């Protein structure tokens, strides 16, 4: 038996093609997307404005499958963390962070991550596989269904959970299409953010393909230090990365800026000199800097910079005219803070083993 097609994998264009192949008109796409994304009805039989024949066909050839939620934990500060099963004993994590004027959902794009940044818990777990568009987009639906009863909502979606979104381009782009599409989630381009550690060729493609916001995990102002913290820097050093940033900033119709993420590691990347070097690197770039206090996890020896050091670092950047903010750590008691998302990953890279030796 051939496998049923999970329609969560299809963006609007793909659905148009799908219905055309079934001999149906394009308006079926609108009808179906309304059922799924607006009315949150996932049973074809209940989609009564589709003909009986089409409903039967859909039930035979297609499905709307969700991954299973394994657990849901609430932190005292309102943060919610979900653990979601992705088959074969793999689990990914997703986090909702409520704030006064918005609600941010931090979603995962891969089961683990192969890039092995030395300060990142996900990196320590190794990598199993890419998530499909369906597995990405249903994270948003799962959170939406949960929030419906709480009066809270998702205003922003960030690819800052597990995985490197720019190593799973096609699935991430289709998911972005759906996040921006008025027939699906209808978020504005400023409210959807891809965070990347700097996969340069993919960033060049992304600049043209999806008009979403971009965050770059920089973490160090020199190649010497970045090679250690973010190993992919050895392949795509800072100069190439900044060129790709320039391409992104000049693509598209609207004015763009980039959020540069910088994890604050005590005695590693947090001195006055580092701040000066960072300011120099970002001079003239349409940038905002987000300083992230390092969140610890058991396998790591790094420590977080003191609040005073972070403030001094921030002041150096301010004095050079660089917009900077410090991210407040949220959801720590349920291990939902940045870089603490570990999931359970059947590592295929054997990196986790190598590290243990
Ligand atoms: N792979 C992508 C997106 C996921 S990581 C990327 O690297 O951008 C999301 C953010 O959390 C990144 O900026 C990452 O550097 C940061 N992060 C990772 N580990 C962290 C930790 N232990 N403490 C604080 N931030 C961390
Ligand atoms: Fe992967 Fe991002 Fe973690 Fe680096 S920081 S290991 S790229 S998830």
């Amino acid at each position: 038996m051939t496998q049923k097609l999970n329609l969560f994998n299809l963006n609007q264009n793909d659905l148009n093609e799908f219905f055309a192949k079934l001999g149906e008109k394009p308006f079926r796409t609108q009808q179906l997307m309304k059922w799924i994304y607006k009315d949150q009805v996932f049973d074809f039989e209940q989609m009564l404005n589709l003909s009986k024949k089409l409903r039967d066909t859909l039930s035979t050839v297609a499905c709307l499958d969700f991954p299973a939620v394994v657990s849901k934990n609430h932190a005292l500060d309102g943060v919610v963390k979900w653990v979601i099963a992705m088959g074969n004993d793999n689990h990914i994590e997703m986090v909702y962070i409520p704030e006064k004027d918005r609600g941010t959902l931090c979603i995962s794009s891969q089961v683990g991550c192969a890039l092995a940044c030395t300060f990142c818990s996900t990196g320590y777990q190794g990598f199993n596989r890419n998530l499909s568009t369906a597995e990405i987009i249903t994270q948003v639906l799962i959170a939406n269904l949960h929030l419906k009863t709480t009066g809270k909502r998702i205003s922003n979606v960030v690819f800052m959970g597990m995985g490197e979104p720019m190593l799973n381009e096609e699935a991430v782009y289709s998911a972005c299409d759906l996040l921006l599409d008025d027939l699906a989630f209808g978020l504005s381009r400023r409210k959807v953010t891809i965070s990347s550690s700097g996969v340069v060729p993919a960033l060049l493609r992304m600049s043209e393909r999806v008009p979403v916001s971009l965050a770059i995990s920089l973490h160090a102002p020199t190649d010497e230090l970045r090679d250690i913290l973010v190993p992919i820097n050895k392949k795509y050093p800072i100069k190439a990365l900044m060129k790709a940033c320039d391409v992104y900033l000049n693509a598209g119709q609207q004015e763009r800026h980039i959020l540069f993420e910088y994890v604050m590691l005590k005695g590693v990347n947090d001195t006055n000199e580092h701040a000066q070097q960072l300011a120099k690197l970002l001079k003239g770039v349409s940038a905002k800097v987000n300083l992230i206090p390092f969140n610890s996890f058991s396998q790591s020896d790094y420590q977080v910079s003191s609040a005073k050091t972070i403030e001094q670092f921030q002041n150096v950047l301010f004095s050079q005219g660089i917009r900077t903010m410090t991210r407040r750590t949220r959801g720590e008691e349920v291990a939902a803070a940045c870089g603490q998302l570990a999931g359970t990953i059947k590592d295929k890279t054997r990196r986790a083993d190598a590290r243990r030796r």
Side-chain angles (χ1 to χ4, degrees):
M1 200 183 88
T2 51
Q3 242 194 342
K4 288 184 181 181
L5 178 63
N6 190 353
L7 297 185
F8 286 131
N9 276 313
L10 308 189
N11 63 15
Q12 191 179 153
N13 281 343
D14 299 334
L15 280 170
N16 282 337
E17 278 175 30
F18 168 76
F19 280 119
K21 277 194 199 131
L22 292 181
E24 296 282 342
K25 295 261 158 52
F27 72 85
R28 294 297 187 199
T29 297
Q30 274 133 46
Q31 289 178 321
L32 183 83
M33 287 179 81
K34 183 165 182 300
W35 281 116
I36 303 176
Y37 296 107
K38 304 286 181 225
D39 304 330
Q40 292 169 345
V41 167
F42 308 114
D43 173 5
F44 298 125
E45 268 319 300
Q46 290 181 36
M47 302 180 180
L48 292 178
N49 57 358
L50 308 183
S51 65
K52 174 81 177 101
K53 184 171 153 265
L54 177 57
R55 294 197 314 262
D56 287 347
T57 308
L58 289 177
S59 299
T60 314
V61 302
C63 61
L64 288 164
D65 275 355
F66 278 82
V69 174
V70 175
S71 67
K72 184 169 73 179
N73 280 294
H74 297 255
L76 291 172
D77 59 6
V79 165
V80 187
K81 182 174 95 169
W82 288 261
V83 175
I84 301 174
M86 290 297 176
N88 297 324
D89 274 342
N90 288 302
H91 297 96
I92 58 123
E93 302 186 347
M94 158 177 92
V95 180
Y96 175 73
I97 308 144
E99 279 164 291
K100 232 206 259 138
D101 52 347
R102 60 182 167 177
T104 303
L105 189 70
C106 180
I107 59 175
S108 294
S109 56
Q110 298 184 309
V111 179
C113 183
L115 294 187
C117 300
T118 47
F119 53 86
C120 174
S121 178
T122 306
Y124 266 85
Q125 303 292 313
F127 172 77
N128 185 275
R129 66 175 176 87
N130 282 333
L131 295 182
S132 65
T133 299
E135 289 166 330
I136 295 171
I137 217 67
T138 48
Q139 292 175 55
V140 189
L141 281 168
I142 287 169
N144 253 337
L145 288 169
H146 161 80
L147 293 171
K148 219 158 86 174
T149 53
T150 67
K152 298 203 182 85
R153 66 191 186 95
I154 296 166
S155 62
N156 297 58
V157 174
V158 295
F159 285 86
M160 293 186 189
M162 294 164 63
E164 167 51 51
M166 289 296 89
L167 288 178
N168 185 13
E169 282 180 80
E170 286 317 313
V172 166
Y173 295 155
S174 276
C176 286
D177 292 339
L178 287 164
L179 290 169
L180 300 180
D181 193 332
D182 285 337
L183 290 178
F185 297 95
L187 296 174
S188 94
R189 56 190 66 190
R190 287 186 314 280
K191 308 262 162 128
V192 178
T193 302
I194 287 179
S195 177
S196 173
S197 56
V199 186
V200 165
L203 288 171
L204 295 173
R205 289 187 287 270
M206 174 263 174
S207 299
E208 298 296 333
R209 170 65 176 79
V210 279
V212 297
S213 298
L214 177 62
I216 293 291
S217 292
L218 191 60
H219 308 308
T222 62
D223 283 328
E224 198 188 357
L225 182 54
R226 198 165 189 267
D227 280 353
I228 299 168
L229 300 180
V230 186
I232 198 174
N233 193 69
K234 291 185 209 140
K235 197 161 179 194
Y236 306 115
I238 291 176
K239 201 166 165 202
L241 177 58
M242 295 311 289
K243 257 198 196 151
C245 288
D246 200 47
V247 169
Y248 171 83
L249 289 169
N250 290 307
Q253 316 289 323
Q254 264 92 1
E255 204 186 317
R256 290 178 164 191
H257 69 259
I258 294 173
L259 187 71
F260 287 92
E261 298 166 284
Y262 196 99
V263 64
M264 295 300 288
L265 303 167
K266 187 176 188 171
V268 175
N269 65 352
D270 65 351
T271 65
N272 202 303
E273 195 189 352
H274 291 124
Q276 298 285 0
Q277 289 168 332
L278 180 61
K280 197 167 160 209
L281 181 68
L282 298 183
K283 199 141 207 108
V285 179
S286 179
K288 259 196 220 165
V289 173
N290 196 347
L291 301 178
I292 314 173
F294 168 66
N295 293 306
S296 61
F297 53 95
S298 58
Q299 301 95 329
S300 168
D301 294 331
Y302 290 119
Q303 288 174 315
V304 62
S305 311
S306 70
K308 189 153 174 267
T309 304
I310 297 177
E311 196 187 324
Q312 282 167 350
F313 196 95
Q314 184 161 3
N315 284 338
V316 172
L317 296 178
F318 279 152
S319 71
Q320 307 276 334
I322 293 176
R323 286 177 294 172
T324 309
M325 60 201 170
T326 300
R327 192 179 288 174
R328 199 155 56 96
T329 292
R330 304 279 308 266
E332 219 171 3
E333 74 267 29
V334 293
C338 288
Q340 289 185 323
L341 302 187
T344 337
I345 292 141
K346 297 281 161 223
D347 182 32
K348 285 190 172 161
T349 64
R350 313 199 62 181
R351 179 167 0 93
D353 287 350
R355 268 182 172 150
R356 262 180 233 119
R357 260 176 238 136

